[in-house]
Amino acid sequence: MSRATSRTAGAVLPPGVFEAMGTVVSVRTGSSGAHADAAAAAAAAVFARWEARCSLFDAGSELSRVGRGELALVDASADVRDAYALALRWRDATDGAFTPHRGDGLIDLNGVVKALAVEEAGEALDHAGFAGWSIGAGGDVLVSTTSPGPDGPGRPVGIVDPTDRSTLLARIDLEPPHRRAVATSGSVERGDHIWTMPGAGPSPFLQVSVAAADLVTADVLATAIVAGGRASLDDLADRHDVDVLAVARDGALLATPGWPRRATPAGA
């Protein structure tokens, strides 16, 4: 979670952008100068705290110490314990398609921690008085807006084509509070890093995007659908108030009925 990304190694990042949890985080508030810097600093502080708690790439983090048996889980901070409890609830809610346990038994909270950090960073921006903002972090986007944009009431978010990362596959307009988050999971950018269900083999999906009212739900369900395949897509989309766009390995697109009302092909 804390490895630096090679895309920006040695480069000067633009205002409102920083590296955390192995990815690039972008904070947009419509402000500039000191106000924009303050917003990014507030978000960066939140990410730094979560990394110190839960990064498995940081040998000194609480979760790394738990994994080595140096720290009992019950003695870890409330952040770690609560994140683990949340992950367990989602494991049960997805019938095991999402899990915080790796095959070697190690607890890995990456599936919820980034979304939790983004959500908390958004709360920090709200408390600082920013009326409208967006936070993007490695496929996760959370927005807050109080007024319509030039294209309508929603905040447009582009979904990248997994077979051509320079091309947008679709667009979805996030409309708070009903839809204020979108998360995308898949194997194209980072390889097959998502554990599939036992005996299921490789996921049938290259990429899954989920739009929801909150980012944790969007992120967890995107991961669970990649891991669980078509059965999880049908089940989870039916049981949760979300919109889903899945890209199959053969390039076919599968979308829930709500998606076409909120997204258009990039060339349309």
Side-chain angles (χ1 to χ4, degrees):
M1 287 162 51
S2 62
R3 283 183 296 189
T5 54
S6 60
R7 287 172 296 177
T8 58
V12 177
L13 297 175
V17 178
F18 59 92
E19 290 184 338
M21 297 185 178
T23 191
V24 176
V25 182
S26 174
V27 179
R28 298 184 180 183
T29 61
S31 303
S32 59
H35 291 291
D37 292 341
V46 171
F47 274 81
R49 198 190 82 254
W50 278 105
E51 284 199 284
R53 299 283 193 265
C54 299
S55 173
L56 290 179
F57 296 111
D58 179 358
S61 75
E62 288 187 50
L63 198 58
S64 291
R65 293 171 59 205
V66 169
R68 293 194 302 269
E70 299 173 2
L71 176 67
L73 184 59
V74 294
D75 295 327
S77 66
D79 283 341
V80 174
R81 300 195 311 272
D82 291 348
Y84 181 55
L86 175 65
L88 290 180
R89 291 196 295 271
W90 275 111
R91 181 194 62 183
D92 295 341
T94 60
D95 296 326
F98 176 89
T99 177
H101 299 121
R102 302 209 298 204
D104 57 5
L106 192 68
I107 297 174
D108 187 337
L109 299 178
N110 187 52
V112 295
V113 165
K114 183 173 64 170
L116 287 171
V118 173
E119 291 273 7
E120 185 178 327
E123 293 174 2
L125 296 182
D126 285 337
H127 293 158
F130 292 99
W133 47 260
S134 66
I135 304 173
D140 291 353
V141 178
L142 181 69
V143 306
S144 175
T145 181
T146 57
S147 60
D151 298 323
R155 182 74 65 91
V157 176
I159 307 299
V160 175
D161 187 336
T163 63
D164 181 0
R165 307 297 288 176
S166 65
T167 301
L168 289 182
L169 176 69
R171 160 185 156 172
I172 187 165
D173 295 322
L174 298 181
E175 303 170 2
H178 183 60
R179 291 285 182 269
R180 64 189 299 262
V182 62
T184 299
S185 294
S187 59
V188 173
E189 186 169 338
R190 295 176 55 196
D192 288 319
H193 65 286
I194 297 174
W195 316 313
T196 55
M197 299 289 283
S203 172
F205 300 129
L206 285 177
Q207 179 173 287
V208 173
S209 298
V210 175
D214 68 278
L215 188 56
V216 172
T217 296
D219 204 1
V220 166
L221 293 187
T223 300
I225 292 170
V226 172
R230 181 58 187 267
S232 290
L233 168 61
D234 294 340
D235 175 53
L236 296 174
D238 183 61
R239 290 196 286 119
H240 296 272
D241 181 17
V242 296
D243 295 327
V244 183
L245 177 66
V247 183
R249 288 189 179 272
D250 63 2
L253 299 180
L254 293 86
T256 55
W259 188 278
R261 293 196 297 270
R262 299 184 178 89
T264 57

